[in-house]
Amino acid sequence: MRGLTHRAVDAAAGLPAGTTSAYYRTRSALLSGLVRRLVELDQAELRAAGERVGELRSAAELADAVAALVAARLAGEGRRRSLARYACTVESVRDPELREILVPRENPGRDAVRRFLAARGVQDPEGRTLALLACVDGLVFDRVVRGGGVSAEEVEGLVVAALRPGGVIGR
């Protein structure tokens, strides 16, 4: 986060010095703009994923869709965006405006998971969807920090836990 300055953005974008500060007068405005853009990109990614999978018909399809999202977030541009998202999330602890921007949004990917869980009689499909996606996010965070990928077995384990009756893991 220390590297996020108007001057650094100007340099990275190949713009004349002072250009960024004309659009984002303060560092706080610059940071808010960055977070809004990250959310916009994430929402587009999740919308496309939801449209690609359509109606999920099996736990295997859900696991495959989650694995594809995880792989996208751990490589190339997705990894860079994940790093930026996590840095901004930590920063949002001290900034209510950023926290509000980062609130999870509705999107077709999340809707597909919720519908799938509801169709299988899962209690509180909305809560279970949020828990599943938080666990997926935790795996991505862990692998961004420590390196490596997420195995199919790990993703399948999360899907099985999300489908478990009563929501109690380990029973």
Side-chain angles (χ1 to χ4, degrees), residues 73-165:
R73 290 198 166 179
L74 289 176
E77 181 60 32
R79 185 177 193 287
R80 284 187 288 282
R81 234 178 42 241
S82 292
L83 283 166
R85 182 184 323 101
Y86 295 130
C88 291
T89 301
V90 170
E91 190 71 22
S92 78
V93 170
R94 295 178 293 280
D95 187 331
E97 180 185 352
L98 294 182
R99 199 167 38 250
E100 180 58 32
I101 298 168
L102 287 165
V103 167
R105 306 277 189 260
E106 290 294 320
N107 60 67
R110 182 171 147 185
D111 293 342
V113 173
R114 182 178 41 244
R115 283 191 308 274
F116 176 79
L117 295 177
R120 271 124 196 102
V122 169
Q123 294 175 358
D124 186 20
E126 173 65 17
R128 197 73 69 87
T129 296
L130 293 176
L132 171 61
L133 297 178
C135 290
V136 169
D137 197 41
L139 279 176
V140 172
F141 177 81
D142 180 71
R143 294 327 168 354
V144 164
V145 171
R146 293 186 321 139
V150 174
S151 70
E153 291 78 19
E154 289 172 298
V155 173
E156 289 166 7
L158 292 177
V159 169
V160 167
L163 288 166
R164 188 169 288 126

Coordinates of all heavy atoms in Angstrom, one line a residue, residues 73-165:
R73 N -7.7 -16.9 -10.1 CA -7.3 -15.9 -9.1 C -5.9 -16.2 -8.6 O -5.3 -15.3 -7.9 CB -8.3 -15.9 -8.0 CG -9.6 -15.2 -8.5 CD -10.4 -14.8 -7.4 NE -11.5 -13.9 -7.9 CZ -12.4 -13.4 -7.2 NH1 -12.4 -13.6 -5.9 NH2 -13.3 -12.6 -7.7
L74 N -5.3 -17.3 -9.0 CA -3.9 -17.6 -8.6 C -2.9 -17.4 -9.7 O -1.7 -17.6 -9.4 CB -3.9 -19.0 -8.0 CG -4.6 -19.3 -6.7 CD1 -4.6 -20.7 -6.3 CD2 -4.0 -18.4 -5.6
A75 N -3.3 -17.1 -10.8 CA -2.3 -17.0 -11.9 C -2.4 -15.6 -12.6 O -3.5 -15.0 -12.7 CB -2.5 -18.1 -12.9
G76 N -1.3 -15.2 -13.1 CA -1.2 -14.0 -14.0 C -1.9 -12.8 -13.4 O -1.7 -12.4 -12.2
E77 N -2.7 -12.1 -14.2 CA -3.4 -10.9 -13.8 C -4.3 -11.2 -12.6 O -4.5 -10.4 -11.7 CB -4.2 -10.4 -15.0 CG -5.0 -9.1 -14.7 CD -4.1 -8.0 -14.3 OE1 -3.0 -7.9 -14.7 OE2 -4.6 -7.1 -13.4
G78 N -4.9 -12.4 -12.6 CA -5.8 -12.7 -11.4 C -5.0 -12.7 -10.1 O -5.6 -12.3 -9.1
R79 N -3.8 -13.2 -10.2 CA -3.0 -13.2 -8.9 C -2.6 -11.8 -8.5 O -2.7 -11.5 -7.3 CB -1.7 -14.0 -9.2 CG -0.9 -14.1 -7.9 CD 0.4 -15.0 -8.1 NE 1.0 -15.4 -6.9 CZ 1.7 -14.5 -6.1 NH1 1.8 -13.3 -6.4 NH2 2.2 -14.9 -5.0
R80 N -2.3 -11.0 -9.5 CA -2.0 -9.5 -9.2 C -3.2 -8.9 -8.5 O -3.1 -8.1 -7.6 CB -1.5 -8.8 -10.4 CG -0.1 -9.1 -10.8 CD 0.5 -8.3 -11.9 NE -0.2 -8.6 -13.2 CZ 0.2 -9.6 -13.9 NH1 1.1 -10.5 -13.5 NH2 -0.4 -9.9 -15.1
R81 N -4.4 -9.1 -9.1 CA -5.6 -8.6 -8.6 C -5.9 -9.1 -7.2 O -6.4 -8.4 -6.3 CB -6.8 -8.8 -9.5 CG -7.5 -7.6 -9.9 CD -8.6 -7.7 -10.9 NE -9.5 -8.7 -10.7 CZ -9.7 -9.7 -11.7 NH1 -9.1 -9.7 -12.8 NH2 -10.6 -10.6 -11.5
S82 N -5.7 -10.4 -7.0 CA -5.9 -11.0 -5.7 C -5.0 -10.3 -4.6 O -5.5 -10.0 -3.5 CB -5.6 -12.5 -5.7 OG -6.6 -13.2 -6.5
L83 N -3.7 -10.1 -5.0 CA -2.8 -9.4 -4.0 C -3.3 -8.0 -3.7 O -3.3 -7.6 -2.5 CB -1.4 -9.3 -4.6 CG -0.6 -10.6 -4.6 CD1 0.6 -10.5 -5.5 CD2 -0.2 -10.9 -3.2
A84 N -3.7 -7.3 -4.7 CA -4.3 -5.9 -4.5 C -5.5 -6.0 -3.7 O -5.7 -5.2 -2.8 CB -4.5 -5.3 -5.9
R85 N -6.4 -6.9 -4.0 CA -7.7 -7.0 -3.2 C -7.4 -7.3 -1.7 O -8.0 -6.7 -0.8 CB -8.5 -8.2 -3.8 CG -9.9 -8.3 -3.1 CD -10.7 -9.5 -3.6 NE -10.6 -9.8 -5.1 CZ -9.8 -10.7 -5.6 NH1 -9.1 -11.5 -4.9 NH2 -9.8 -10.8 -6.9
Y86 N -6.5 -8.2 -1.4 CA -6.2 -8.5 0.0 C -5.5 -7.3 0.7 O -5.8 -7.0 1.8 CB -5.4 -9.8 0.1 CG -6.1 -11.0 -0.4 CD1 -5.5 -11.9 -1.3 CD2 -7.4 -11.2 0.0 CE1 -6.2 -13.0 -1.7 CE2 -8.1 -12.3 -0.4 CZ -7.5 -13.2 -1.3 OH -8.2 -14.3 -1.8
A87 N -4.6 -6.6 0.0 CA -4.0 -5.4 0.6 C -5.1 -4.4 0.9 O -5.1 -3.7 2.0 CB -3.0 -4.9 -0.3
C88 N -6.0 -4.2 0.0 CA -7.1 -3.2 0.2 C -8.1 -3.7 1.3 O -8.6 -2.8 2.0 CB -7.9 -3.0 -1.1 SG -6.9 -2.1 -2.4
T89 N -8.3 -5.0 1.4 CA -9.1 -5.5 2.5 C -8.5 -5.2 3.8 O -9.2 -4.7 4.7 CB -9.4 -7.0 2.3 OG1 -10.0 -7.2 1.0 CG2 -10.3 -7.5 3.4
V90 N -7.2 -5.4 4.0 CA -6.6 -5.1 5.2 C -6.7 -3.6 5.5 O -7.0 -3.1 6.6 CB -5.1 -5.5 5.2 CG1 -4.3 -5.0 6.4 CG2 -5.1 -7.1 5.2
E91 N -6.5 -2.8 4.5 CA -6.6 -1.3 4.6 C -8.0 -0.9 5.0 O -8.2 0.1 5.8 CB -6.2 -0.6 3.3 CG -6.0 0.9 3.4 CD -4.8 1.3 4.1 OE1 -3.8 0.5 4.3 OE2 -4.8 2.5 4.6
S92 N -9.0 -1.6 4.6 CA -10.4 -1.3 4.9 C -10.7 -1.4 6.4 O -11.8 -0.9 6.8 CB -11.4 -2.1 4.0 OG -11.5 -3.4 4.6
V93 N -9.9 -2.1 7.1 CA -10.1 -2.3 8.6 C -10.1 -0.9 9.2 O -10.9 -0.6 10.1 CB -9.1 -3.2 9.2 CG1 -9.1 -3.1 10.7 CG2 -9.2 -4.6 8.7
R94 N -9.3 0.0 8.7 CA -9.2 1.4 9.2 C -10.0 2.4 8.4 O -10.0 3.6 8.7 CB -7.8 1.8 9.2 CG -6.9 1.0 10.2 CD -5.5 1.4 10.2 NE -4.8 1.1 8.9 CZ -4.3 0.0 8.6 NH1 -4.4 -1.1 9.4 NH2 -3.7 -0.2 7.4
D95 N -10.7 2.0 7.4 CA -11.4 2.9 6.5 C -12.8 2.4 6.1 O -13.0 1.6 5.3 CB -10.6 3.1 5.2 CG -11.1 4.2 4.3 OD1 -12.3 4.5 4.3 OD2 -10.3 4.8 3.5
P96 N -13.8 3.0 6.8 CA -15.2 2.5 6.6 C -15.7 2.6 5.2 O -16.4 1.8 4.7 CB -16.0 3.4 7.5 CG -15.1 4.0 8.5 CD -13.7 4.0 7.9
E97 N -15.2 3.7 4.5 CA -15.6 3.9 3.1 C -15.1 2.7 2.2 O -15.9 2.2 1.4 CB -15.1 5.2 2.5 CG -15.5 5.4 1.1 CD -14.8 6.6 0.4 OE1 -14.2 7.4 1.2 OE2 -15.0 6.8 -0.8
L98 N -13.9 2.3 2.4 CA -13.3 1.1 1.6 C -14.1 -0.1 2.0 O -14.4 -0.9 1.1 CB -11.8 0.9 1.9 CG -10.9 2.0 1.4 CD1 -9.5 1.7 1.8 CD2 -11.1 2.3 0.0
R99 N -14.4 -0.3 3.3 CA -15.1 -1.5 3.8 C -16.4 -1.6 3.1 O -16.9 -2.6 2.6 CB -15.2 -1.4 5.3 CG -15.5 -2.7 5.9 CD -15.4 -2.8 7.4 NE -15.8 -1.6 8.1 CZ -15.0 -0.7 8.7 NH1 -13.6 -0.9 8.7 NH2 -15.4 0.3 9.4
E100 N -17.1 -0.5 2.9 CA -18.4 -0.4 2.3 C -18.3 -0.8 0.8 O -19.1 -1.5 0.3 CB -19.1 0.9 2.4 CG -20.4 1.0 1.8 CD -21.5 0.0 2.3 OE1 -21.4 -0.3 3.5 OE2 -22.3 -0.4 1.5
I101 N -17.3 -0.3 0.1 CA -17.1 -0.6 -1.3 C -16.8 -2.1 -1.5 O -17.3 -2.7 -2.4 CB -15.9 0.2 -1.9 CG1 -16.2 1.7 -1.8 CG2 -15.6 -0.2 -3.3 CD1 -15.0 2.6 -2.1
L102 N -16.1 -2.7 -0.5 CA -15.8 -4.1 -0.6 C -16.8 -5.1 -0.2 O -16.6 -6.3 -0.2 CB -14.5 -4.4 0.2 CG -13.2 -3.8 -0.4 CD1 -12.1 -3.8 0.7 CD2 -12.8 -4.6 -1.6
V103 N -18.0 -4.6 0.3 CA -19.1 -5.5 0.7 C -19.4 -6.5 -0.4 O -19.6 -6.0 -1.6 CB -20.3 -4.7 1.2 CG1 -21.5 -5.6 1.3 CG2 -20.0 -3.9 2.4
P104 N -19.5 -7.8 -0.2 CA -19.9 -8.7 -1.3 C -21.2 -8.3 -2.0 O -22.1 -7.8 -1.4 CB -20.1 -10.0 -0.5 CG -19.3 -9.9 0.7 CD -19.4 -8.4 1.1
R105 N -21.1 -8.4 -3.3 CA -22.2 -8.0 -4.1 C -22.9 -9.2 -4.7 O -22.3 -10.3 -4.9 CB -21.7 -7.1 -5.3 CG -20.9 -5.9 -4.9 CD -21.8 -4.8 -4.5 NE -21.0 -3.6 -4.3 CZ -20.7 -3.1 -3.1 NH1 -21.0 -3.7 -2.1 NH2 -20.0 -2.0 -3.0
E106 N -24.2 -9.0 -5.1 CA -24.9 -10.0 -5.8 C -24.2 -10.2 -7.2 O -23.8 -9.2 -7.8 CB -26.3 -9.6 -6.0 CG -27.1 -9.7 -4.7 CD -27.3 -11.1 -4.1 OE1 -27.5 -12.0 -4.9 OE2 -27.2 -11.2 -2.9
N107 N -24.2 -11.4 -7.7 CA -23.7 -11.6 -9.0 C -24.2 -13.0 -9.5 O -24.5 -13.8 -8.6 CB -22.2 -11.5 -9.1 CG -21.5 -12.5 -8.2 OD1 -21.5 -13.7 -8.4 ND2 -20.8 -11.9 -7.2
P108 N -24.2 -13.3 -10.8 CA -24.7 -14.6 -11.3 C -23.9 -15.8 -10.7 O -24.5 -16.8 -10.5 CB -24.5 -14.5 -12.8 CG -24.6 -13.0 -13.1 CD -23.9 -12.4 -11.9
G109 N -22.6 -15.6 -10.4 CA -21.9 -16.8 -9.9 C -22.4 -17.1 -8.5 O -22.7 -18.3 -8.2
R110 N -22.5 -16.1 -7.6 CA -23.1 -16.3 -6.3 C -24.5 -16.8 -6.3 O -24.9 -17.8 -5.6 CB -23.0 -15.0 -5.5 CG -23.4 -15.1 -4.1 CD -23.1 -13.8 -3.4 NE -24.1 -13.5 -2.4 CZ -24.1 -12.4 -1.7 NH1 -23.2 -11.4 -1.9 NH2 -25.0 -12.2 -0.8
D111 N -25.3 -16.3 -7.2 CA -26.7 -16.7 -7.4 C -26.7 -18.2 -7.8 O -27.6 -19.0 -7.3 CB -27.4 -15.9 -8.4 CG -27.6 -14.5 -8.0 OD1 -27.5 -14.2 -6.8 OD2 -27.9 -13.6 -8.9
A112 N -25.9 -18.6 -8.7 CA -25.9 -20.0 -9.1 C -25.5 -21.0 -8.0 O -26.2 -22.0 -7.8 CB -24.9 -20.2 -10.3
V113 N -24.6 -20.6 -7.1 CA -24.3 -21.4 -6.0 C -25.4 -21.5 -5.0 O -25.8 -22.6 -4.5 CB -23.0 -20.9 -5.3 CG1 -22.7 -21.6 -4.0 CG2 -21.8 -21.0 -6.2
R114 N -26.0 -20.3 -4.7 CA -27.2 -20.3 -3.8 C -28.3 -21.1 -4.3 O -28.9 -21.9 -3.6 CB -27.6 -18.8 -3.6 CG -28.8 -18.7 -2.6 CD -29.2 -17.3 -2.3 NE -29.3 -16.5 -3.5 CZ -28.5 -15.4 -3.7 NH1 -27.6 -15.0 -2.8 NH2 -28.6 -14.7 -4.8
R115 N -28.6 -21.0 -5.6 CA -29.7 -21.8 -6.2 C -29.4 -23.3 -6.1 O -30.3 -24.1 -5.8 CB -30.0 -21.4 -7.6 CG -30.8 -20.1 -7.8 CD -31.3 -19.9 -9.2 NE -30.2 -20.0 -10.2 CZ -29.4 -19.1 -10.6 NH1 -29.5 -17.8 -10.1 NH2 -28.5 -19.3 -11.5
F116 N -28.2 -23.7 -6.4 CA -27.8 -25.1 -6.3 C -28.0 -25.6 -4.9 O -28.5 -26.7 -4.7 CB -26.3 -25.2 -6.8 CG -25.8 -26.6 -6.6 CD1 -26.1 -27.6 -7.6 CD2 -25.0 -27.0 -5.6 CE1 -25.6 -28.9 -7.5 CE2 -24.5 -28.3 -5.4 CZ -24.8 -29.2 -6.4
L117 N -27.5 -24.9 -3.9 CA -27.6 -25.3 -2.5 C -29.1 -25.4 -2.1 O -29.5 -26.4 -1.4 CB -26.8 -24.4 -1.6 CG -25.3 -24.4 -1.8 CD1 -24.6 -23.5 -0.9 CD2 -24.7 -25.8 -1.6
A118 N -29.9 -24.4 -2.5 CA -31.3 -24.4 -2.1 C -32.0 -25.6 -2.8 O -32.9 -26.2 -2.1 CB -31.9 -23.1 -2.6
A119 N -31.7 -25.9 -4.0 CA -32.3 -27.0 -4.7 C -32.0 -28.4 -4.0 O -32.8 -29.3 -4.2 CB -31.9 -27.1 -6.2
R120 N -31.0 -28.4 -3.3 CA -30.6 -29.6 -2.6 C -31.0 -29.6 -1.1 O -30.7 -30.5 -0.3 CB -29.1 -29.9 -2.6 CG -28.8 -30.7 -3.9 CD -27.8 -30.0 -4.8 NE -27.8 -30.5 -6.1 CZ -28.4 -29.9 -7.1 NH1 -29.1 -28.8 -7.0 NH2 -28.4 -30.5 -8.3
G121 N -31.9 -28.6 -0.8 CA -32.5 -28.6 0.6 C -31.6 -28.1 1.7 O -31.8 -28.4 2.8
V122 N -30.5 -27.5 1.3 CA -29.5 -27.0 2.3 C -30.2 -25.9 3.1 O -30.9 -25.0 2.6 CB -28.3 -26.4 1.6 CG1 -27.4 -25.7 2.6 CG2 -27.5 -27.6 1.0
Q123 N -30.1 -26.0 4.5 CA -30.7 -25.0 5.3 C -29.9 -23.7 5.1 O -28.7 -23.8 5.0 CB -30.6 -25.4 6.8 CG -31.5 -26.6 7.1 CD -31.3 -27.0 8.5 OE1 -30.5 -26.5 9.3 NE2 -32.1 -28.1 8.9
D124 N -30.6 -22.6 5.1 CA -29.9 -21.3 4.9 C -29.0 -21.2 3.8 O -27.8 -21.1 3.9 CB -29.2 -20.9 6.2 CG -28.7 -19.4 6.2 OD1 -29.1 -18.6 5.3 OD2 -27.7 -19.1 7.0
P125 N -29.5 -21.4 2.6 CA -28.6 -21.4 1.4 C -27.8 -20.1 1.2 O -26.7 -20.2 0.7 CB -29.5 -21.7 0.2 CG -30.9 -21.4 0.7 CD -30.9 -21.6 2.2
E126 N -28.4 -19.0 1.6 CA -27.6 -17.8 1.5 C -26.4 -17.8 2.4 O -25.3 -17.5 2.0 CB -28.5 -16.6 1.8 CG -27.8 -15.2 1.8 CD -27.2 -14.8 0.5 OE1 -27.5 -15.3 -0.5 OE2 -26.3 -13.9 0.6
G127 N -26.6 -18.1 3.6 CA -25.5 -18.2 4.6 C -24.5 -19.2 4.2 O -23.3 -19.0 4.4
R128 N -25.0 -20.4 3.8 CA -24.0 -21.4 3.4 C -23.2 -21.0 2.1 O -22.0 -21.3 2.0 CB -24.8 -22.7 3.1 CG -24.0 -24.0 3.1 CD -23.5 -24.4 4.5 NE -24.6 -24.9 5.3 CZ -25.1 -26.1 5.3 NH1 -24.5 -27.0 4.6 NH2 -26.0 -26.4 6.2
T129 N -23.9 -20.3 1.2 CA -23.2 -19.8 0.0 C -22.1 -18.8 0.5 O -20.9 -18.9 0.0 CB -24.1 -19.0 -0.9 OG1 -25.1 -20.0 -1.4 CG2 -23.4 -18.4 -2.1
L130 N -22.4 -17.9 1.3 CA -21.4 -16.9 1.8 C -20.2 -17.6 2.5 O -19.1 -17.3 2.4 CB -22.0 -15.9 2.7 CG -23.0 -14.9 2.0 CD1 -23.6 -14.0 3.0 CD2 -22.3 -14.1 0.9
A131 N -20.6 -18.6 3.3 CA -19.5 -19.4 4.0 C -18.6 -20.2 3.1 O -17.4 -20.1 3.2 CB -20.2 -20.4 5.0
L132 N -19.2 -20.8 2.1 CA -18.5 -21.5 1.1 C -17.5 -20.6 0.3 O -16.3 -20.8 0.2 CB -19.4 -22.2 0.1 CG -18.7 -22.8 -1.2 CD1 -17.7 -23.9 -0.8 CD2 -19.8 -23.4 -2.1
L133 N -18.1 -19.4 -0.1 CA -17.2 -18.5 -0.9 C -16.1 -17.9 0.0 O -15.0 -17.6 -0.5 CB -18.1 -17.4 -1.5 CG -19.1 -18.0 -2.5 CD1 -20.0 -16.9 -3.1 CD2 -18.4 -18.7 -3.6
A134 N -16.4 -17.7 1.3 CA -15.4 -17.2 2.2 C -14.3 -18.2 2.4 O -13.1 -17.9 2.4 CB -16.0 -16.8 3.6
C135 N -14.6 -19.5 2.5 CA -13.6 -20.5 2.5 C -12.8 -20.6 1.3 O -11.6 -20.7 1.3 CB -14.3 -21.9 2.8 SG -15.0 -22.1 4.4
V136 N -13.4 -20.4 0.1 CA -12.7 -20.4 -1.1 C -11.7 -19.2 -1.1 O -10.6 -19.4 -1.5 CB -13.7 -20.3 -2.3 CG1 -12.9 -20.0 -3.6 CG2 -14.5 -21.6 -2.4
D137 N -12.2 -18.1 -0.7 CA -11.4 -16.9 -0.6 C -10.2 -17.1 0.3 O -9.1 -16.7 0.0 CB -12.2 -15.7 -0.2 CG -11.5 -14.4 -0.5 OD1 -10.9 -14.2 -1.6 OD2 -11.6 -13.5 0.4
G138 N -10.4 -17.8 1.4 CA -9.3 -18.2 2.3 C -8.3 -19.0 1.7 O -7.1 -18.9 1.9
L139 N -8.7 -20.0 0.9 CA -7.8 -20.9 0.2 C -6.9 -20.0 -0.8 O -5.7 -20.2 -0.9 CB -8.5 -22.0 -0.6 CG -8.9 -23.2 0.2 CD1 -9.7 -24.2 -0.7 CD2 -7.7 -23.9 0.8
V140 N -7.6 -19.2 -1.5 CA -6.9 -18.3 -2.5 C -5.9 -17.5 -1.7 O -4.7 -17.4 -2.1 CB -7.8 -17.4 -3.3 CG1 -7.1 -16.4 -4.1 CG2 -8.7 -18.3 -4.2
F141 N -6.3 -16.8 -0.6 CA -5.4 -16.0 0.2 C -4.2 -16.8 0.6 O -3.0 -16.4 0.5 CB -6.1 -15.4 1.4 CG -5.2 -14.6 2.3 CD1 -4.9 -13.3 2.0 CD2 -4.7 -15.2 3.4 CE1 -4.1 -12.6 2.8 CE2 -3.8 -14.4 4.3 CZ -3.5 -13.1 3.9
D142 N -4.4 -18.0 1.2 CA -3.3 -18.9 1.7 C -2.3 -19.2 0.5 O -1.1 -19.1 0.7 CB -3.9 -20.2 2.2 CG -2.8 -21.1 2.7 OD1 -2.2 -20.7 3.8 OD2 -2.6 -22.1 2.1
R143 N -2.8 -19.5 -0.7 CA -1.9 -19.8 -1.7 C -1.3 -18.6 -2.4 O -0.2 -18.7 -2.9 CB -2.7 -20.7 -2.8 CG -3.1 -22.0 -2.3 CD -2.2 -22.6 -1.3 NE -2.6 -23.8 -0.5 CZ -3.6 -24.5 -0.3 NH1 -4.7 -24.2 -1.0 NH2 -3.7 -25.5 0.5
V144 N -1.9 -17.5 -2.3 CA -1.2 -16.3 -2.8 C -0.1 -16.0 -1.9 O 1.0 -15.6 -2.3 CB -2.2 -15.1 -2.8 CG1 -1.5 -13.7 -2.9 CG2 -3.2 -15.2 -4.0
V145 N -0.2 -16.2 -0.6 CA 0.8 -15.9 0.4 C 1.9 -17.0 0.4 O 3.1 -16.7 0.3 CB 0.2 -15.7 1.8 CG1 1.3 -15.7 2.9 CG2 -0.7 -14.5 1.9
R146 N 1.5 -18.2 0.4 CA 2.4 -19.3 0.6 C 2.9 -19.9 -0.7 O 3.9 -20.7 -0.8 CB 1.9 -20.4 1.5 CG 1.7 -20.0 2.9 CD 1.2 -21.1 3.8 NE 0.3 -22.0 3.2 CZ 0.3 -23.4 3.4 NH1 1.3 -23.9 4.1 NH2 -0.6 -24.1 2.9
G147 N 2.1 -19.7 -1.8 CA 2.5 -20.3 -3.1 C 1.7 -21.6 -3.3 O 1.1 -22.1 -2.3
G148 N 1.8 -22.1 -4.5 CA 1.1 -23.3 -4.8 C -0.3 -23.2 -5.3 O -0.8 -22.0 -5.4
G149 N -0.9 -24.3 -5.6 CA -2.3 -24.3 -6.1 C -3.2 -24.9 -5.1 O -2.8 -25.3 -4.0
V150 N -4.4 -24.9 -5.5 CA -5.5 -25.5 -4.7 C -5.9 -26.8 -5.4 O -6.2 -26.8 -6.6 CB -6.7 -24.6 -4.5 CG1 -7.8 -25.3 -3.8 CG2 -6.3 -23.3 -3.8
S151 N -5.9 -27.9 -4.7 CA -6.2 -29.2 -5.3 C -7.7 -29.4 -5.5 O -8.5 -28.8 -4.8 CB -5.6 -30.3 -4.4 OG -6.4 -30.4 -3.2
A152 N -8.0 -30.3 -6.4 CA -9.4 -30.6 -6.6 C -10.0 -31.2 -5.3 O -11.2 -30.9 -5.0 CB -9.5 -31.6 -7.7
E153 N -9.2 -31.9 -4.6 CA -9.7 -32.5 -3.3 C -10.1 -31.5 -2.3 O -11.1 -31.6 -1.6 CB -8.7 -33.5 -2.7 CG -8.5 -34.8 -3.5 CD -7.6 -34.6 -4.7 OE1 -6.8 -33.6 -4.8 OE2 -7.7 -35.4 -5.6
E154 N -9.3 -30.4 -2.2 CA -9.7 -29.3 -1.3 C -11.0 -28.6 -1.7 O -11.8 -28.4 -0.8 CB -8.5 -28.3 -1.3 CG -7.3 -28.7 -0.6 CD -6.1 -27.8 -0.8 OE1 -5.7 -27.5 -1.9 OE2 -5.6 -27.3 0.3
V155 N -11.1 -28.4 -3.0 CA -12.4 -27.7 -3.4 C -13.5 -28.7 -3.2 O -14.6 -28.3 -2.7 CB -12.2 -27.3 -4.9 CG1 -13.6 -26.9 -5.5 CG2 -11.2 -26.3 -5.1
E156 N -13.4 -29.9 -3.6 CA -14.4 -30.9 -3.4 C -14.8 -31.0 -1.9 O -16.0 -31.1 -1.6 CB -14.0 -32.3 -3.9 CG -14.0 -32.3 -5.4 CD -13.2 -33.6 -5.9 OE1 -12.9 -34.5 -5.1 OE2 -13.0 -33.6 -7.1
G157 N -13.9 -30.9 -1.0 CA -14.1 -31.0 0.4 C -15.0 -29.8 0.9 O -15.9 -29.9 1.7
L158 N -14.7 -28.6 0.3 CA -15.5 -27.4 0.6 C -17.0 -27.6 0.1 O -17.9 -27.3 0.8 CB -14.9 -26.2 0.1 CG -13.6 -25.7 0.7 CD1 -13.1 -24.5 -0.1 CD2 -13.7 -25.5 2.1
V159 N -17.1 -28.2 -1.1 CA -18.4 -28.4 -1.6 C -19.2 -29.4 -0.8 O -20.4 -29.2 -0.5 CB -18.4 -28.8 -3.1 CG1 -19.7 -29.2 -3.6 CG2 -17.8 -27.6 -3.9
V160 N -18.6 -30.5 -0.4 CA -19.2 -31.5 0.4 C -19.6 -30.9 1.8 O -20.8 -31.1 2.2 CB -18.3 -32.7 0.7 CG1 -18.8 -33.6 1.8 CG2 -18.1 -33.5 -0.6
A161 N -18.8 -30.1 2.4 CA -19.1 -29.4 3.6 C -20.3 -28.5 3.4 O -21.2 -28.4 4.3 CB -17.9 -28.6 4.2
A162 N -20.4 -27.8 2.3 CA -21.5 -26.9 2.1 C -22.8 -27.6 1.9 O -23.9 -27.1 2.2 CB -21.2 -26.0 0.8
L163 N -22.8 -28.8 1.4 CA -23.9 -29.6 1.2 C -24.4 -30.4 2.4 O -25.5 -31.0 2.4 CB -23.7 -30.6 0.0 CG -23.7 -30.0 -1.4 CD1 -23.1 -30.9 -2.4 CD2 -25.1 -29.5 -1.8
R164 N -23.5 -30.5 3.4 CA -23.8 -31.3 4.6 C -25.0 -30.8 5.3 O -25.1 -29.7 5.6 CB -22.6 -31.3 5.5 CG -22.7 -32.3 6.6 CD -21.4 -32.5 7.4 NE -20.5 -33.2 6.6 CZ -19.2 -32.8 6.3 NH1 -18.8 -31.7 6.7 NH2 -18.5 -33.6 5.5
P165 N -25.9 -31.7 5.6 CA -27.2 -31.3 6.4 C -26.8 -30.7 7.7 O -25.9 -31.1 8.4 CB -27.9 -32.6 6.6 CG -27.4 -33.5 5.6 CD -26.0 -33.1 5.3

